[in-house]
Amino acid sequence: MKNEFKYYSDISIENFEKNVVLPFINEDGKSCILIRNSKNRQNIIKGSTDNLEYHLNSIFTKDGKQYHFHMISCVKADTYSKEQFTIAYEYLFKTMTTPKSDFEIGSLINSLEQLFKVTPEKDRFKLLLGVYGELLFLIHANECGCHEILSKYHSNFYSKHDFEIDRYNRIEVKTSVDAKRIHHFSHDQIFRNDVNVYIVSILLEESSEGVTLNELFDIIFNLTDDSQIMFKIAQLKGFCGISKEKPGPAFSYNKALNDLKIFRANDLPHLDIDDVKGISSVSYNVDCSMTDAIKIEDFIYNVNNLIDLSKR
């Protein structure tokens, strides 16, 4: 990712005149972003969060002429924070083509703050393991010809499954570092009468010479130029606490691909019962090896057809 942040004095008059968004480094060495104001208001609104500082409705002077911008700056100077702030510029602000009001920019602050949130250490390995499997599946599916699968990844935050292909078809990725293909499911993930669920089972083996989670994120970023998808992936990367300095766990990539299996949820062993009144949060371990897997070619063919149909 090319660093486009320049010192304020190095920004040309031409850029001040025509650009909607300007990245720069202030006199304190902080990374900042200017977003052109659509209202030209002069009532400055200042505020800050744990990671960001903002000045809405600000006036900047260049060669004696005044320009109306909002300014957002990165409070922290560590490498991780700078990387996340650059991601916000690259995949969110840089895509803006029209000036924004103070209300529009202010409403972005909370979602921007989420970009810097990191999962607590005690829960992190489980998260990293799951995300590694999901990204590996995304890359493999793309290599097999399912190029639009990325747009279906966590498209619904409240869904019980990792991918919603359409209203009826879902995909759930399960990842384990155990030798046996046993995964933990909530009952309503695999026993469903209203939706069809595919289960992707991935077995990982840690390896110091393997592919890191950070490397998988880099591959994913190169699979799309959709700024909304890239920003969503960047938020996930931030939540995982992954950066060049902290690349995350490394696993044997080729072995994981060779061991990847796909099943129909209805074919897996499960409790053949509907919801029981007064009982919730039912979950159990399932040995997926007791069921025949479906061919990856058939799976990709079906998913591509479903995606095409969902567009009509």
Side-chain angles (χ1 to χ4, degrees), residues 281-310:
S281 302
V282 178
S283 63
Y284 39 81
N285 293 331
V286 175
D287 188 348
C288 297
S289 65
M290 296 179 65
T291 304
D292 291 333
I294 62 177
K295 293 181 179 179
I296 183 69
E297 298 85 358
D298 294 339
F299 169 78
I300 294 297
Y301 178 81
N302 289 338
V303 171
N304 278 336
N305 281 341
L306 291 170
I307 293 175
D308 288 341
L309 288 171
S310 69

Side-chain angles (χ1 to χ4, degrees), residues 56-73:
L56 308 181
N57 302 325
S58 297
I59 298 175
F60 291 81
T61 302
K62 189 76 171 177
D63 290 356
K65 187 174 180 180
Q66 291 187 336
Y67 299 90
H68 296 264
F69 284 94
H70 311 293
M71 184 183 77
I72 298 177
S73 60

